Amino acid sequence: MNPTFTLDGRAIPFLPGQTILQAATAAGVFIPHLCYHPEFKPHGSCKLCTVKVNGRHTASCTMQAAPGMSVESETEEINGERRALTQMLFVEGNHYCPSCEKSGDCQLQATAYHLGMMSPHYDHFFPNRPVDASHPEVLLDFNRCILCSLCVRASRDVDGKNVFALSGRGIDTHLIVNAASGKLADTDFTLADKAAQVCPVGVILKKRKGFAVPIGERTYDKAPIASVAVAGEK
Amino acid sequence: MSEKKKLRVATTSLAGCFGCHMSFLDIDERLFTLLEHVDFDRSPLTDIKTVTPGTDIGIIEGGLCNAENVHVLREFRANCKVLIALGACAINGGLPAQRNSLSLPAIFDEVYHSGFGLTNSLIPNDPELPLVLDQVHPIHEVVKVDYFVPGCPPSGDAIWKVLTDLLAGKEPTLQHGLMHYD
């Protein structure tokens, strides 16, 4: 029989090497996350998946499960912290859902719904982030970037192209394109790249494909992210 | 039947499109039920021009794009016990805030001088026109806001849910299907 840890009082079995997040998902328990993707090595940067392990905060996407661990996730305290992190992501970028092609399919938006985020709470930064429309097939809208680094990891580890990178530090961290011009058109990026499929928000968008699926009939319009995620993320 | 004192409700649209007010009307025949519980004060529905002090609920659609918006918002805050931000623009500036990365002179130039089909271009400067703010702001950046109803616009059902929660003395919540930012 597999060893177990407890998550909010419930016994969760795990396989050696599994993280808390992986074991919880396999057991049908959703832990909110944005930079984690089941096909990629965890990055541990968004901190949405933070839980308390034996009373200490830790990212559940990077922490390996261990027998007898006591993990808290669905508490008022932890969800309040997750909501605050999500609100900070909203005010640091320019997230205008009504005019975004990703609305309804966006993990940031769906996570905010899950956390009951009724307002951004903080003052908005309204940063100036010009879009990159240079590529014939793909639009890059940096206004929506949450620095999850999934495109960086996909392009480097799967596509072998290293098209994207995170540059700068702290609040100045931003997504860049690895070309002398800084433009996507001057890379070998294509729509078939894994990196074109993994953006959880609306940064990497296929051109001339706007609103093919109407608002109201999209992934998270039909079911909340908690049930979509445990049913198997795309 | 005992006559319960009706709540006084004021509404306005600042830098909004009145879409949220139209959506409010989408509560349809529930308006009659609502009118058993509330009286309308200043609102586009009544055409009353000022908010009566001691009004119970103020509902604000739209963000702040000019000095008059700020003035009206402050009047609502000063005279309403509870203030509700209704819809995307009141909550994060919405579509009008997408001008925030552009400078005002560049916008005025495009709109009044260099834009397509303009002749005899002049930037309007009548003293009666409210001054434009350099950026569009959501209302919670200027006054304290008690409740937020997201959506562009929030559905009639979402507005109804929040109003009935408040009338019942409960903290308003929106479940999946009613909570929308788009």
Side-chain angles (χ1 to χ4, degrees):
Chain A
M1 197 173 142
N2 290 325
T4 63
F5 63 92
T6 62
L7 178 57
D8 294 328
R10 179 180 156 186
I12 305 287
F14 65 92
L15 304 170
Q18 264 188 329
T19 61
I20 294 171
L21 181 55
Q22 287 168 335
T25 307
V29 180
F30 176 65
I31 299 177
H33 56 267
L34 289 170
C35 73
Y36 169 76
H37 187 293
E39 293 173 38
F40 296 95
K41 197 174 160 216
H43 193 240
S45 61
C46 80
K47 303 299 176 194
L48 258 287
C49 73
T50 295
V51 293
K52 267 192 181 178
V53 177
N54 300 333
R56 293 184 62 178
H57 285 81
T58 189
S60 64
C61 72
T62 53
M63 183 67 148
Q64 287 197 356
M69 267 179 171
S70 172
V71 181
E72 295 169 60
S73 176
E74 283 300 310
T75 66
E76 202 172 312
E77 178 194 357
I78 299 276
N79 275 330
E81 289 166 351
R82 289 172 180 153
R83 197 177 307 117
L85 286 172
T86 309
Q87 287 167 322
M88 287 187 235
L89 288 173
F90 268 84
V91 300
E92 283 171 19
N94 292 310
H95 298 277
Y96 299 109
C97 299
S99 54
C100 179
E101 162 60 18
K102 201 62 182 276
S103 191
D105 291 325
C106 171
Q107 290 182 26
L108 177 67
Q109 182 193 61
T111 301
Y113 293 169
H114 172 82
L115 294 168
M117 189 187 112
M118 300 285 271
S119 85
H121 182 79
Y122 302 104
D123 284 5
H124 286 72
F125 287 30
F126 295 124
N128 184 9
R129 298 187 194 162
V131 302
D132 178 352
S134 63
H135 195 279
E137 295 175 306
V138 175
L139 171 72
L140 288 185
D141 190 337
F142 296 105
N143 289 291
R144 300 153 183 169
C145 184
I146 56 170
L147 308 172
C148 70
S149 87
L150 276 169
C151 60
V152 177
R153 285 176 275 168
S155 187
R156 182 190 61 210
D157 303 339
V158 180
D159 305 326
K161 293 183 177 179
N162 248 335
V163 168
F164 299 103
L166 295 182
S167 178
R169 294 183 70 80
I171 196 64
D172 296 321
T173 311
H174 59 288
L175 183 66
I176 58 165
V177 172
N178 285 339
S181 65
K183 295 292 181 194
L184 193 63
D186 296 326
T187 69
D188 50 357
F189 184 81
T190 74
L191 255 187
D193 287 6
K194 184 71 178 172
Q197 325 296 327
V198 293
C199 182
V201 293
V203 178
I204 304 174
L205 294 173
K206 187 175 190 284
K207 283 186 175 178
R208 291 173 290 278
K209 196 70 186 163
F211 296 91
V213 178
I215 296 279
E217 295 175 22
R218 299 179 172 198
T219 312
Y220 304 114
D221 293 329
K222 292 177 180 164
I225 192 167
S227 40
V228 174
V230 295
E233 285 177 311
K234 282 182 279 183
Chain B
M1 203 176 107
S2 66
E3 267 300 293
K4 210 176 143 193
K5 191 175 172 297
K6 285 186 174 182
L7 294 179
R8 180 167 278 276
V9 177
T11 79
T12 191
S13 178
L14 304 176
C17 69
F18 274 91
C20 295
H21 273 78
M22 298 308 289
S23 199
F24 177 45
L25 296 180
D26 278 341
I27 67 173
D28 297 331
E29 72 277 10
R30 288 169 289 187
L31 267 172
F32 295 114
T33 313
L34 184 66
L35 286 172
E36 292 169 14
H37 300 284
V38 309
D39 282 324
F40 280 97
D41 194 74
R42 173 182 172 151
S43 167
L45 306 176
T46 61
D47 214 24
I48 298 170
K49 304 298 185 197
T50 55
V51 184
T52 306
T55 292
D56 296 287
I57 299 175
I59 299 175
I60 310 283
E61 167 188 344
L64 306 161
C65 79
N66 64 35
E68 191 216 6
N69 295 153
V70 177
H71 174 83
V72 172
L73 177 65
R74 287 189 169 142
E75 189 205 352
F76 267 73
R77 180 68 278 181
N79 295 309
C80 298
K81 294 172 192 163
V82 166
L83 205 60
I84 302 176
L86 183 66
C89 299
I91 289 174
N92 74 355
L95 188 143
Q98 294 187 45
R99 76 161 159 92
N100 283 358
S101 60
L102 305 170
S103 75
L104 264 191
I107 292 169
F108 280 132
D109 185 69
E110 169 84 21
V111 171
Y112 294 109
H113 288 310
S114 61
F116 178 76
L118 296 174
T119 52
N120 302 325
S121 59
L122 278 175
I123 294 176
N125 65 351
D126 190 291
E128 283 206 357
L129 290 174
L131 287 174
V132 177
L133 306 180
D134 66 336
Q135 288 194 318
V136 177
H137 289 277
I139 64 172
H140 74 270
E141 294 184 10
V142 174
V143 298
K144 180 184 184 328
V145 176
D146 301 292
Y147 299 105
F148 299 80
V149 191
C152 183
S155 65
D157 289 339
I159 297 171
W160 179 248
K161 173 72 165 52
V162 169
L163 288 179
T164 48
D165 279 353
L166 282 176
L167 289 172
K170 290 191 295 191
E171 189 73 15
T173 54
L174 295 174
Q175 66 271 35
H176 181 258
L178 288 183
M179 175 86 111
H180 272 288
Y181 298 164
D182 56 20

